[in-house]
Structures are given as C-alpha cells and as structure tokens.
Amino acid sequence: MAPRYRESAYSEIQVDPAAAEPKHRQVYGALREAILSGRLRADEPLPSTRQLAQLLGVSRNTVLAAYEVLIGEGFLVSRGGAGTFVAHNAVRAPPPPPQAFVEPRPLSSTADALRGRLLYPVSSVARPFHPSSPGIDVFPMEAWTRIIVRQTRVDRGRIMGEGAQQGYLPLRQQIALHLRLFRSCRCDADQIIVTSGAHLGYFLSAMLLVDAGDSVWVEEPGYPDARLAFRVRTSRVIAVPVDEAGLDIETGRALSAQPRVIYVTPSHQWPLGGVMPVQRRLALLDFAASRGAWIVEDDYDGDLRFDGQSYAGLQGLDKAQRVIHVGTFSKTIYPGLRLGYIVVPPDLVSAFVAGRTAIDRYPNTLAQCVMAEFMERGLYAKHLHKMRAVYQERHALLRTRLESKLANALRVKPATVGTFTVTELTNGLDDVGVVRALAEAGVEADPLSISSRGSERKQGLLLGHAIARPEQIRHGVDVIERVICGMARGAS
C-alpha cells in the first residue's frame, strides 16, 4: 500500500498559467520552499505525479519535470516502487524567532568606514541640479553613435575580447597628446593607465601608496569620496584647511609634518571652487619632494574652464616625479561611459597596472575604442569648446535667477570652471534637510556641509548648472525658492 500524503501541505501552491515562468518551475519553486521552510518534513511522502497534477490542475508532465529537478538537486529521493520522499538532509531546522533589535553584524574597519558615509537622495538618472552631471543635451550623440557602429564593424575580436591591462593604446596616446597640449602635462602613453572613472584612481593610490598608520593630507573642506578612499587604508587622514590659495601647507605641516600622500584639487577646489596659484603649487611640490610624499592631483574638470584662462596641472610642474594625476571623462562626456585615467611616474607604472588588474581587470574595451576615435577625429576638442560656452551661459542664468529670487537665503559664488555653482545658505537652514526636501520636489543638489569634517561646517548647496537647460534652470530655481521659503517659515 502506498504511503499517505498530507493534502493540506499542498493547499498553498498556486500555478499561474499566464506567468512568464514555466509551470514546472513554479511547481518546483513552491515544493522547494515548502521543504526548506519545514512545511514538508524529512522522509515525508509526496503525492504521485498523477495525484499532484490533479490537485494543482496541471499536466502530469509538468509535475514530473518538477520532481526530476528536485531529485537532481537532492531535495527529493525516489525509493523504487515505494514512491517519492523528502530527502532526510534537505530540511532545515526551524529558524529562531526574530529578535526585536538586531545589532549590526561585525565587519572589517574598512566596511565601517564605507557604510559610515552620509547618504542622501540621488537619482540614477540625473536631474537638475545634480552637481557632477554634464550637459547631456548638448552631447554630439549622432557622431558618437556613428563611431560606435564603425568600431563594432572594424574588429569584433578586439572589442569583444580581453582588454589591454594598461588600457587601449590608441586611447592612451590620445590622452597623452591632449594632456600635453591643453593641461601642460609632461607625459607619454606609457605613463597612462585607463581606469573605470576617477574613483578607481583614488582607491588605487590609497592601496598602493599608503600603509596602515601613514599620514594622508586631504583638503578641508574637500571631496568626501577621495577622503573615504584614503580612510579605508589609514585612520590618519588629516583634514588640512584651504584658504584663498588652496591647501594651507604651513597648517598641514603643524598637523602632520610627514605625510605619505597629499590629495589636492588645484585646478578647481572641491567644493569651494578656488584655483591654486602657481606660487602655492611650487611650494607644495617642493614640500612633497623634501618629505618624500606623493601628491594625488585630482583634475576632475580641468578641461572645463570657461573664463578663457589656462592653468597648468601640477604634474607638468613636477620635477621630482611625485605627482599622480587623476582625470576622468565623466564630466566632459557622460558618467555612464565609466572611463578615467591616471598618469603616474614611470617607475610606478608596473605597480599601478598590477593593482588595477587585480581589482578591476580592464575598462570596457568598446568604450575605449570609441573614445580614442572621438579624440583622434578632433571631436573631443570641438565638444569641449562648445560646452565651455554653454556652461558659462547656464551658470550666468542660474546665478542671476538665484540672486533675484533668493538673495535673503542664498549667497551665490561666481564660477569660472566646471559643472556646478556653489551657494551658501544664509538663513540658518540645515543643508542636508534642504537637499532631502528638494529631492522630494524633483530637484537634485549636494549639501555643502558633507565636504567638511570639522564642527564648523558651512551650510550651502552645490547646484549643477551644466545638466539644466535654460527653462529647467528657471523652473528649478522656482522650486528651490518654494522649498527654502517654506522651510524657513516652518522654522520660525
């Protein structure tokens, strides 16, 4: 006599004939969950395939296919003519009752540093006024698409195979040429390593240049993600104040006289926007050389000056070869391209290539090929020229609009470079709260305060002028006015 099964154990199984998932996979999933949850017990008999098919209203072949998968995975066993049973070792012990309060499970100090970063709402699709987003509406998409099509036809083996560890050579050659002509760098293609954006450059520099306990200077206020990269390696991340000329070397010397790495944004200080004059640049280079320190130069938007001025990178002034130059195409092309680069002294190339290969292998090969042709055909230089003019107009409109509508709440700083405008709140509101309220109203911004570590944090908004078309700037400022004035009334 065949063993009896519990019909009630199958009452919760529902098979949806309209679902995309095949019926036998639905039956398989339901039985698997019943076994794992303990609703079906070890050694318990299952219905015959004919019986279960009748219970569920499906064909016998559907149940047979589900049983075969479960037997193959070890959840069920077939015992000759006796039938099909739940495998003895497939049932888990009942889970413990949920605790009212669950403490964070212990991870490494690196994980603590990473998850301790302040998070605020950011949409995956950039909206006005996201500070780091370029003007996608002025991007030459037709020319870019033609290059993509051409590259996919030229050599499929190249774009679909393993990428070069250091990066696609024609792209590295174009980057080196561009840096020599427009950023006054002294480098060749052999010193360039292509990365998946600038952030990988920070983490590589931290991983390869810094040991636990080493001192690292970062700007105060400064770029939080770069600070985080070095904090992952050492607890001695020293916040060195910036003045009107950039990083204050003498204060840094007093705080930590022997830094291993100095991180700076000399061409456009994040977030305050200043430019480090040549006298301070030379003094910083001399100090680094005298201390055997490395300088990580973040040139995140050095190509986007729209005031007609040109500022040489630190790398081009460096005679002691202590500078690691970090660049990105996220601000000049688009963030989804995920391409950046680092320029390192010749004796560091092998170490940085090994480090990049260990944690990231290589960037997208097709993207590198397309970017190389885009630069070689002169389209990159043409695009930069157009963006500078557009960004200057958009910054001027945003500044004028803010000053006319929010003069009593925001102080607006003039910008001469980049994708964002710096403002300071003058009415006592918390900038993180303002950013959250703006996100709910459909407008993005970064809070100025997260760039600082000290107790006296400036409150303000970083507003991206590049991403917003003129009509979006006008509408966006109206939203900012409504949100800030509403919050101010609520606080009074």
Side-chain angles (χ1 to χ4, degrees):
M1 179 185 240
R4 292 184 60 82
Y5 66 91
R6 292 183 297 116
E7 187 172 329
S8 61
Y10 306 91
S11 60
E12 297 182 10
I13 299 178
Q14 301 290 327
V15 179
D16 182 2
E21 185 179 29
K23 294 178 183 178
H24 79 279
R25 294 296 299 183
Q26 295 183 54
V27 176
Y28 155 82
L31 291 175
R32 180 177 179 272
E33 176 58 30
I35 294 170
L36 290 173
S37 66
R39 294 200 309 274
L40 288 176
R41 300 183 289 268
D43 297 319
E44 182 172 347
L46 271 72
S48 69
T49 55
R50 190 182 306 279
Q51 290 170 324
L52 186 56
Q54 291 176 348
L55 283 173
L56 301 181
V58 297
S59 72
R60 185 185 177 194
N61 285 339
T62 296
V63 178
L64 182 61
Y67 276 19
E68 287 177 349
V69 176
L70 290 164
I71 290 171
E73 293 184 353
F75 288 99
L76 301 179
V77 292
S78 178
R79 295 176 182 169
T84 304
F85 297 79
V86 177
H88 182 73
N89 58 355
V91 179
R92 291 178 175 174
Q99 298 178 358
F101 299 97
V102 179
E103 295 293 331
R105 290 186 283 185
L107 297 174
S108 69
S109 59
T110 295
D112 289 337
L114 292 171
R115 66 185 179 185
R117 180 177 182 266
L118 175 65
L119 297 178
Y120 49 90
V122 176
S123 171
S124 59
V125 178
R127 303 174 296 180
F129 296 102
H130 189 264
S132 298
S133 296
I136 297 174
D137 62 303
V138 295
F139 184 73
M141 186 57 73
E142 291 186 6
W144 184 262
T145 303
R146 286 195 295 269
I147 295 175
I148 292 176
V149 173
R150 183 161 46 250
Q151 286 293 331
T152 56
R153 291 173 176 171
V154 169
D155 188 349
R156 291 187 179 181
R158 181 181 64 205
I159 65 173
M160 299 178 72
E162 296 278 335
Q165 292 181 335
Q166 191 167 341
Y168 182 50
L169 177 58
L171 176 58
R172 291 190 283 118
Q173 291 171 332
Q174 289 299 318
I175 292 171
L177 177 62
H178 175 80
L179 291 175
R180 290 195 298 268
L181 291 177
F182 297 100
R183 307 297 298 124
S184 300
C185 289
R186 298 187 298 177
C187 63
D188 56 39
D190 292 338
Q191 294 175 250
I192 293 173
I193 302 162
V194 182
T195 63
S196 301
H199 284 70
L200 184 57
Y202 314 146
F203 277 90
L204 275 175
S205 298
M207 181 177 74
L208 299 173
L209 302 178
V210 180
D211 283 320
D214 283 344
S215 169
V216 176
W217 288 9
V218 296
E219 296 169 324
E220 171 62 26
Y223 190 45
D225 287 351
R227 180 191 304 139
L228 180 64
F230 293 107
R231 175 62 185 85
V232 163
R233 291 292 292 166
T234 178
S235 60
R236 298 189 63 210
V237 177
I238 311 300
V240 180
V242 297
D243 56 25
E244 65 280 358
L247 190 80
D248 187 336
I249 301 171
E250 292 308 312
T251 300
R253 191 198 309 265
L255 292 170
S256 177
Q258 195 67 38
R260 180 68 172 165
V261 168
I262 302 170
Y263 168 84
V264 287
T265 53
S267 295
H268 186 207
Q269 202 279 328
W270 179 283
L272 301 182
V275 177
M276 185 181 289
V278 67
Q279 295 82 0
R280 182 68 60 87
R281 294 180 185 227
L282 294 174
L284 182 61
L285 289 167
D286 289 343
F287 175 80
S290 69
R291 293 297 193 273
W294 301 102
I295 296 176
V296 175
E297 175 187 21
D298 188 354
D299 194 44
Y300 64 96
D301 63 359
D303 281 333
L304 295 176
R305 296 207 65 87
F306 44 75
D307 61 354
Q309 300 295 319
S310 177
Y311 295 92
L314 273 176
Q315 196 273 351
L317 299 171
D318 178 27
K319 296 182 179 180
Q321 296 192 333
R322 309 298 306 180
V323 173
I324 289 83
H325 182 96
V326 180
T328 179
F329 293 113
S330 294
K331 309 294 186 296
T332 54
I333 301 296
Y334 54 84
L337 186 65
R338 301 313 310 142
L339 279 185
Y341 53 88
I342 48 178
V343 184
V344 300
D347 58 316
L348 300 190
V349 171
S350 60
F352 271 78
V353 171
R356 215 295 310 282
T357 304
I359 63 176
D360 192 46
R361 294 286 288 168
Y362 52 87
N364 182 281
T365 307
L366 176 59
Q368 294 185 73
C369 295
V370 173
M371 190 66 214
E373 183 175 341
F374 191 72
M375 298 181 77
E376 183 180 5
R377 292 166 60 87
L379 297 174
Y380 183 60
K382 183 179 179 180
H383 179 53
L384 288 177
H385 179 75
K386 180 178 182 179
M387 283 198 299
R388 293 182 190 117
V390 170
Y391 293 177
Q392 185 175 32
E393 293 173 0
R394 292 183 178 183
H395 163 69
L397 175 60
L398 177 61
R399 183 183 175 193
T400 300
R401 192 81 171 173
L402 288 170
E403 289 176 342
S404 67
K405 286 183 167 288
L406 286 152
N408 295 327
L410 283 178
R411 181 183 300 115
V412 187
K413 293 188 65 175
T416 57
V417 59
T419 60
F420 64 92
T421 298
V422 185
T423 70
E424 291 185 31
L425 284 162
T426 58
N427 60 356
L429 290 179
D430 171 64
D431 59 2
V432 173
V434 173
V435 166
R436 292 186 186 279
L438 287 174
E440 293 178 359
V443 171
E444 289 190 25
D446 276 2
L448 179 61
S449 65
I450 68 164
S451 299
S452 298
R453 294 176 60 187
S455 57
E456 297 182 4
R457 301 185 177 189
K458 290 184 177 181
Q459 300 290 316
L461 304 175
L462 303 183
L463 300 171
H465 50 253
I467 186 66
R469 298 188 298 273
E471 64 272 18
Q472 292 175 318
I473 291 175
R474 296 184 184 95
H475 171 71
V477 172
D478 290 343
V479 173
I480 295 172
E481 179 188 27
R482 184 171 67 251
V483 168
I484 288 181
C485 291
M487 293 180 68
R489 285 194 298 270
S492 60

